[in-house]
Amino acid sequence: MRLRITRRRFGMLTIASTLVVAKDAIASRIANANLTKNIFMQTSPKTSTAVAKTQEPGRIDVTLRINGKSHTLQIEPRVTLLDALRERIGLTGTKKGCDRGQCGACTVLVDGRRINSCLTLAVMQEGAEITTIEGLARGDELHPMQAAFIKHDGFQCGYCTPGQIVSAVGLLAEGCPTSDEAIRECMSGNLCRCGAYPGIVAAVREVHQTQTSNG
């Protein structure tokens, strides 16, 4: 009997194993933060008061590099990257769909690779280069994939569109698409409830062909 593991199941298993490994590192950071706080309390009451005002119990400092800019946050270790982006930094282009890694609406790029931001902790991405939908355009100039989605009407309600576009940019970097069938397979982790798949495939195909012809 052969066990078939889908892309979504494999991703969830990978994230689960990563979280186990990260747990000890997070616990260590919290312990170090509490130790530092205790040292301040013992040696300098004034400094202790300042620390108590600026850092809430159970939170740690995390610096995230997002769209070329650094953002320093004080968050609980359990905060997902998705919630940090939307609720702490205000980058609401990344959408919360299923919140279980099954729809792809929260797709972002981490060091150029596609991930579901709802399945990773923000603290795990410290030091990485994170790209969201807001970071694709250059000023008023849309990314070619954004322009292609508009041209081919690759969306209806638009809720899944940011994740679709970011995922499409990522898969092109992976060298995935060689045919419409391959594009569909590579985009299978991103669901469109409105069924705009023909336009999405056409948009990815056009950008892929343009990149190929330009060398």
Side-chain angles (χ1 to χ4, degrees):
M1 179 178 180
R2 298 180 61 186
L3 179 62
R4 185 166 176 249
I5 300 179
T6 65
R7 175 189 167 193
R8 297 189 190 93
R9 185 177 295 277
F10 177 77
M12 293 178 72
L13 290 173
T14 302
I15 292 297
S17 61
T18 304
L19 291 177
V20 172
V21 174
K23 183 176 69 173
D24 290 341
I26 293 171
S28 177
R29 291 191 60 176
I30 295 175
N32 289 337
N34 290 335
L35 176 60
T36 302
K37 181 177 179 181
N38 289 336
I39 293 174
F40 276 125
M41 292 177 66
Q42 293 172 6
T43 58
S44 176
K46 293 183 179 180
T47 305
S48 169
T49 301
V51 171
K53 289 182 178 179
T54 58
Q55 183 154 2
E56 297 181 24
R59 298 195 176 194
I60 58 176
D61 292 328
V62 177
T63 299
L64 301 176
R65 181 78 175 168
I66 305 170
N67 301 328
K69 297 181 179 180
S70 295
H71 300 265
T72 299
L73 310 173
Q74 287 186 358
I75 58 176
E76 295 179 345
R78 61 180 177 142
V79 173
T80 64
L81 177 59
L82 174 60
D83 286 340
L85 290 172
R86 290 181 56 83
E87 299 177 12
R88 310 302 172 91
I89 302 176
L91 295 174
T92 56
T94 305
K95 303 304 182 185
K96 179 178 284 193
C98 65
D99 209 24
R100 296 183 178 181
Q102 297 179 347
C103 73
C106 67
T107 303
V108 300
L109 300 178
V110 174
D111 291 333
R113 299 182 62 183
R114 299 177 287 169
I115 70 165
N116 293 321
S117 59
C118 73
L119 291 183
T120 185
L121 300 177
V123 296
M124 295 169 60
Q125 304 308 329
E126 191 168 28
E129 187 65 42
I130 302 166
T131 303
T132 69
I133 187 68
E134 292 91 345
L136 295 181
R138 296 182 178 179
D140 295 332
E141 181 183 354
L142 294 177
H143 187 281
M145 191 63 72
Q146 293 173 308
F149 264 68
I150 294 174
K151 176 182 177 181
H152 294 281
D153 196 21
F155 53 89
Q156 289 186 34
C157 78
Y159 195 84
C160 74
T161 306
Q164 297 274 5
I165 292 175
V166 172
S167 185
V169 171
L171 75 85
L172 286 181
E174 297 167 10
C176 174
T178 57
S179 64
D180 286 2
E181 182 179 356
I183 292 172
R184 294 188 187 96
E185 176 62 27
C186 290
M187 292 289 291
S188 62
N190 293 81
L191 305 182
C192 175
R193 293 168 178 82
C194 300
Y197 295 114
I200 292 171
V201 172
V204 178
R205 184 199 316 124
E206 177 178 296
V207 177
H208 174 241
Q209 292 174 345
T210 299
Q211 290 184 352
T212 301
S213 61
N214 292 338

